[in-house]
Amino acid sequence: MNQESYRSGVVAIIGPPNAGKSTLLNHLLGQKIAIVSNKPQTTRNRILGIVTGDNYQMIVLDTPGLHKAKDLMNKEMMKVALESLGEADLVLFIDDSAGLSEKLLKKREEEYQQYFSNIKVPTLLALNKIDLIKPEQLLPLTKWYSDRHDFDAVIPISALKGAGTDTLVEEMVSRLPEGPKYYPDDIPTDASERFIVAEIIREKIFRLTREEVPYSTAVVIDSFDESNPSSVVIHATIVVERSTQKGIVIGHRGQMLATIRKQATADIVHLLGCKARLQLWVKIRKNWTDNEHILREFGLS
């Protein structure tokens, strides 16, 4: 390896909720480490993915979606996202091109301007979900963004289908500083298996439950027993805020909880490469999303 031509650095992926940040990170890694849902504000923690090529290594930060926060948990999420800007060598701003209307852009203008003013490094714009729009719709979106920030390049992509992502990687790598390889080739993330398992369970809750339940839910891994190398035993607690939410998560005769456990177990088996037995409990902790002590306990503050 020619060390002088090797590039490495930190890339912060930021953007509004449901823009496709986690989908893009999973695509770049070629495997799933970040949970994906069609509901906004799915990502709560900053997730680090390590994308390694022949002559580069990108340390990619998937951050919570940018939004106007109200409760304490969402304020902490926004703090995580904005702090990532200060650590980055390159910022990738991603937005959902299929969901952008003139009315929505006007509503977000002041808010976005604040984000852009905090960016002090090279910045790329990825307009995602181009498979859902007509090509002529891209030009006004590109102009709107370019009028508000001096992007180094604008790349239309489909993170789900992979369209344009090779060009995006080339643009990102070309703007990274020369530097060393920080992680071995076979490490895709610094996240622990316990963290990813908790996220898998939370993803199933997001996908299977309704209304306010996903946003009032946290998952705590109580034990992770790997003493038997052929079968891991995991005990986890699903935390909610109210008894009505507990009833929804458990479901009629425990059917919802059984479905969450079944779907999560299948993903956990794929992740760990061995059999897994998952036990779930549901516990109420009132107003935990606005309690700094509990947020710190859950690693969200």
Side-chain angles (χ1 to χ4, degrees):
M1 179 174 60
N2 183 351
Q3 192 69 27
E4 290 184 355
S5 64
Y6 199 87
R7 294 181 179 272
S8 61
V10 177
V11 179
I13 305 180
I14 67 168
N18 219 26
K21 296 182 295 295
S22 297
T23 301
L24 177 61
L25 177 61
N26 291 337
H27 175 78
L28 294 176
L29 292 171
Q31 66 183 87
K32 184 176 180 179
I33 67 164
I35 67 174
V36 177
S37 166
N38 59 5
K39 294 182 175 70
Q41 299 167 29
T42 304
T43 301
R44 288 177 179 166
N45 303 79
R46 186 180 66 179
I47 298 172
L48 186 151
I50 303 155
V51 183
T52 304
D54 292 337
N55 63 342
Y56 67 87
Q57 187 170 80
M58 295 189 292
I59 301 165
V60 184
L61 307 179
D62 177 21
T63 61
L66 301 171
H67 63 284
K68 292 183 178 179
K70 295 181 180 179
D71 62 32
L72 184 58
M73 181 181 71
N74 281 276
K75 289 177 181 177
E76 290 294 330
M77 287 163 57
M78 282 296 299
K79 183 180 177 183
V80 166
L82 294 175
E83 283 180 348
S84 297
L85 297 177
E87 302 174 31
D89 298 295
L90 173 70
V91 169
L92 174 63
F93 192 95
I94 183 171
D95 210 343
D96 173 7
S97 62
L100 293 175
S101 64
E102 187 176 339
K103 182 179 180 181
L104 180 59
L105 288 172
K106 187 174 182 180
K107 180 181 177 181
R108 288 178 173 177
E109 183 168 10
E110 184 178 347
E111 180 186 353
Y112 278 23
Q113 205 65 59
Q114 292 177 353
Y115 304 145
F116 296 147
S117 66
N118 286 313
I119 299 174
K120 310 299 181 185
V121 294
T123 315
L124 303 178
L125 171 65
L127 291 173
N128 191 23
K129 306 183 185 180
I130 59 168
D131 51 309
L132 301 178
I133 65 170
K134 297 177 181 178
E136 58 266 25
Q137 292 177 265
L138 279 173
L139 186 59
L141 294 177
T142 300
K143 185 178 185 309
W144 188 89
Y145 272 106
S146 299
D147 286 345
R148 282 150 189 84
H149 186 72
D150 185 19
F151 291 97
D152 291 75
V154 179
I155 307 97
I157 67 167
S158 170
L160 184 62
K161 297 189 176 182
T165 54
D166 288 344
T167 301
L168 178 62
V169 169
E170 291 174 4
E171 294 285 356
M172 289 193 289
V173 171
S174 70
R175 288 170 176 81
L176 290 178
E178 291 186 0
K181 179 185 289 185
Y182 293 98
Y183 295 89
D185 291 350
D186 58 348
I187 297 183
T189 180
D190 70 341
S192 68
E193 290 178 340
R194 292 173 70 107
F195 172 82
I196 297 175
V197 165
E199 289 289 273
I200 287 171
I201 298 167
R202 195 166 63 87
E203 178 186 63
K204 305 313 172 190
I205 298 167
F206 259 78
R207 292 188 172 188
L208 293 168
T209 60
R210 62 185 188 275
E211 298 167 355
E212 85 287 356
V213 174
Y215 303 102
S216 301
T217 302
V219 176
V220 179
I221 303 298
D222 302 310
S223 65
F224 201 97
D225 185 358
E226 299 176 276
S227 58
N228 181 350
S230 63
S231 181
V232 175
V233 179
I234 302 166
H235 291 215
T237 299
I238 299 170
V239 180
V240 295
E241 291 189 305
R242 294 187 289 278
S243 58
T244 53
Q245 296 166 349
K246 180 177 180 179
I248 293 171
V249 171
I250 294 174
H252 180 61
R253 295 183 178 179
Q255 290 180 346
M256 177 60 76
L257 192 62
T259 302
I260 293 169
R261 181 172 60 245
K262 180 180 179 180
Q263 292 191 11
T265 300
D267 281 8
I268 292 167
V269 167
H270 181 74
L271 170 73
L272 302 178
C274 65
K275 293 181 180 179
R277 192 165 83 245
L278 176 63
Q279 299 292 331
L280 295 176
W281 287 266
V282 185
K283 181 178 180 180
I284 300 169
R285 298 190 73 171
K286 292 185 177 180
N287 301 319
W288 71 264
T289 57
D290 223 14
N291 185 309
E292 186 174 0
H293 175 74
I294 298 176
L295 288 174
R296 191 178 300 117
E297 180 184 333
F298 293 169
L300 296 170
S301 173

